[in-house]
Amino acid sequence: MKDLRFEQKRSLSRREAADQLAALAAALRDGGEAELELGSATLSLRIPDDLRSEVEIEIGDGEVELEIEFKWPTTRKRPAQAPAAQTPARKSEPAKPARGGTGKGVRRPAAKK
C-alpha cells in the first residue's frame, strides 16, 4: 500500500504543459523543499540531490505516450562513513613490558618540573 498517491488527468495546451514542466525543472534544479502548482492543487515535496529516472515512449493506436518518472527514497540517506584505514598486517610478537612501570605500553614524555 502506498503512503500517498496523487494523480491528475486533464487536457493542457502546449504552453501549459511547457509551464508545468518548467516549474518541475526549477524544483528539481533547486532541490530541497519544492512546491509544485498542479492546476488548482499545490504539492510540496522534498527533492534530494540524487534520484533515479525513467523515460518511456509508446507509439501506437494513433497516440504517442511520453512518461517521465523520477524516484527517490522517502527517508534521507545518512552520510556514508569512510572505511577505517587499514594498516598492513604485522607478525605477532610477544608484548614487551613498558618502561617506567605504567604497565600500559605507552611511552609518555617526562613531566616538566
Side-chain angles (χ1 to χ4, degrees):
M1 182 172 153
K2 300 200 184 256
D3 292 335
L4 171 70
R5 181 179 175 99
F6 176 87
E7 186 171 329
Q8 182 183 64
K9 294 182 181 184
R10 63 187 180 117
S11 295
L12 301 172
S13 69
R14 226 179 33 239
R15 182 173 295 275
E16 288 170 323
D19 289 344
Q20 196 172 32
L21 287 173
L24 177 60
L28 287 169
R29 185 176 296 109
D30 295 341
E33 296 293 325
E35 289 191 355
L36 300 172
E37 299 287 331
L38 300 172
S40 60
T42 301
L43 182 64
S44 295
L45 293 172
R46 180 195 59 82
I47 301 176
D49 291 336
D50 296 309
L51 35 99
R52 298 181 315 271
S53 72
E54 181 180 326
V55 176
E56 184 177 325
I57 299 172
E58 293 181 24
I59 301 171
D61 297 330
E63 284 188 330
V64 176
E65 182 177 332
L66 169 63
E67 291 183 24
I68 302 171
E69 186 174 291
F70 296 104
K71 291 183 182 182
W72 59 89
T74 55
T75 57
R76 296 176 192 233
K77 283 187 176 181
R78 294 182 182 166
Q81 293 181 352
Q86 295 183 354
T87 56
R90 296 189 304 174
K91 292 182 181 178
S92 296
E93 294 182 20
K96 296 180 184 176
R99 294 183 184 178
T102 62
K104 293 186 179 180
V106 177
R107 190 172 199 172
R108 296 184 182 160
K112 294 182 181 179
K113 292 184 181 181

